[in-house]
Amino acid sequence: MDLTDLRDADFSLLSDAVDDWSKVVANLEDLKTAAETGLRGAASKAHWAGVNASVSKEFIGKTAGEFVDAHSQARSIHLILKDTRDELVEYQRQMADAIERGRLRNLTVIGYEGGFTVTTNVPPEDRARQDQDNKADITALRDEIQGILDKATESDSSASTVLKAIADQSELGFSDVDYKDRDSAAEAIERADQLAGLVKKDPEDLTPREFDRLAAGLKNYAGDELFAERFATRLGADGALSLWAGINDPQLGRELNRKRGDAYDELQKQPGPHPRHRLAERLGGHGRLAEPDGRHGGQAGRPWQRFSARRPGAEQPDALGRL
């Protein structure tokens, strides 16, 4: 974001969008209440028989749940937009204050496409000497303004990333995202990128400490659909396959296997680096890894050996199932 972008920005349209989404949230709140108390409530009290008991009742429950998800998603979008608007307005105020303080010290800030410059407000023939005499003040003002621009750029770009991710999630219906501000949503995206980066590492180079970070991160964001979608997109099925195959290969990751082997099972339960059906099928072809008796240095009962068994907990109904 350039100096002129922030200094001259008119945030009235963004404020209008915040107000519009506030109304959408209020309307969906009414629909959510009606669906939960009316639609779902009536279905729960009714006496179902035959096909209706297994099909119609479930369909009504899922339909009512869509209103809940729609309200949650709309509220998240509203709060993210509002938080971003408030931040940008504040950064604009800080920018104006900084420029005014510079003016009182006879400094002027000149913006141009791609950047800005700070100089003394004197005739051109005296400017070089005055700039040298006021070098400390010029540097301080320049750094202050650059810091404001950096924060404004981060606010604007992360909001765009988060809102696009939420929109992409809605491809198959409303998503159950629930964020109170831009920061929390942006943090989920950032953590997903970081953890996907760990999974993509050469399994031989994955340290026990990094494994712990991965396990803790996946556990912390369990149930976070925005995180799961971003993680899945960045990772892909091949990334997950490489992780599981690599850390269990007796020729690779020996230290990790020795120090964290007992934790593999718990990691596999998290809604994270295992693309379930496809991983099970592809790992089944790795005869050396999939042998149930633990030969070739492997250990019996490890996650890659149990995917095909589909024991309880091995499959999670999460966003990663689309891999």
Side-chain angles (χ1 to χ4, degrees):
M1 181 177 291
D2 292 341
L3 180 139
T4 52
D5 293 334
L6 181 60
R7 183 188 61 192
D8 303 333
D10 180 0
F11 295 116
S12 59
L13 289 178
L14 182 55
S15 293
D16 289 343
V18 171
D19 293 340
D20 288 343
W21 275 100
S22 177
K23 295 173 185 176
V24 171
V25 172
N27 291 334
L28 285 173
E29 175 72 32
D30 294 338
L31 290 173
K32 182 190 77 167
T33 302
E36 288 183 318
T37 59
L39 192 62
R40 195 197 298 269
S44 299
K45 294 176 182 178
H47 296 287
W48 299 89
V51 175
N52 284 331
S54 59
V55 179
S56 299
K57 184 178 181 180
E58 182 180 357
F59 173 77
I60 291 173
K62 289 184 176 180
T63 301
E66 281 293 300
F67 286 100
V68 176
D69 289 347
H71 173 262
S72 176
Q73 181 171 322
R75 182 178 58 189
S76 294
I77 292 173
H78 168 246
L79 292 174
I80 290 169
L81 283 173
K82 181 179 181 298
D83 190 39
T84 303
R85 188 272 315 271
D86 292 346
E87 287 181 347
L88 291 176
V89 168
E90 173 60 19
Y91 293 140
Q92 187 181 58
R93 185 196 64 77
Q94 292 178 11
M95 173 74 70
D97 287 350
I99 291 175
E100 176 60 17
R101 280 186 276 105
R103 187 188 68 80
L104 295 176
R105 295 199 302 269
N106 207 34
L107 301 179
T108 185
V109 180
I110 303 171
Y112 54 87
E113 186 176 354
F116 69 95
T117 185
V118 179
T119 186
T120 49
N121 188 20
V122 296
E125 59 270 19
D126 295 332
R127 188 165 298 158
R129 180 175 59 83
Q130 289 293 328
D131 283 356
Q132 185 61 36
D133 292 343
N134 293 274
K135 185 177 180 179
D137 289 342
I138 290 174
T139 300
L141 181 57
R142 181 200 64 198
D143 292 347
E144 180 182 3
I145 291 176
Q146 187 60 58
I148 295 170
L149 288 174
D150 289 344
K151 289 185 288 186
T153 300
E154 169 62 22
S155 180
D156 181 55
S157 61
S158 63
S160 175
T161 298
V162 167
L163 292 172
K164 286 178 181 177
I166 291 175
D168 290 343
Q169 250 194 302
S170 304
E171 204 176 304
L172 302 178
F174 294 108
S175 56
D176 185 22
V177 295
D178 192 5
Y179 295 103
K180 295 181 180 179
D181 51 39
R182 179 196 59 80
D183 287 343
S184 57
E187 183 179 358
I189 293 288
E190 183 179 1
R191 287 289 287 160
D193 289 345
Q194 292 173 351
L195 295 181
L198 287 180
V199 176
K200 286 183 175 182
K201 285 189 64 174
D202 187 329
E204 190 173 9
D205 297 330
L206 189 67
T207 67
R209 187 171 184 176
E210 289 172 332
F211 180 90
D212 292 343
R213 281 180 54 202
L214 176 61
L218 292 176
K219 184 175 182 179
N220 186 50
Y221 283 96
D224 188 316
E225 293 190 10
L226 184 63
F227 170 89
E229 180 74 17
R230 181 76 170 195
F231 185 83
T233 301
R234 288 288 184 267
L235 182 59
D238 289 339
L241 177 64
S242 297
L243 170 72
W244 285 116
I247 64 177
N248 288 291
D249 190 326
Q251 304 303 318
L252 301 173
R254 294 179 180 179
E255 180 186 10
L256 183 64
N257 202 314
R258 178 171 55 84
K259 293 184 177 180
R260 295 294 185 271
D262 292 340
Y264 290 176
D265 183 49
E266 190 62 31
L267 178 64
Q268 184 248 336
K269 294 177 184 178
Q270 301 302 328
H274 47 89
R276 296 157 56 184
H277 298 301
R278 189 179 302 181
L279 180 57
E281 294 168 0
R282 295 182 65 179
L283 281 177
H286 290 248
R288 181 165 62 101
L289 294 176
E291 292 186 15
D293 61 1
R295 286 178 294 174
H296 303 291
Q299 297 181 24
R302 284 286 171 78
W304 79 88
Q305 296 163 347
R306 294 198 298 246
F307 271 103
S308 58
R310 296 180 187 175
R311 62 179 179 76
E315 295 185 6
Q316 303 289 337
D318 53 50
L320 298 183
R322 286 192 286 163
L323 282 174

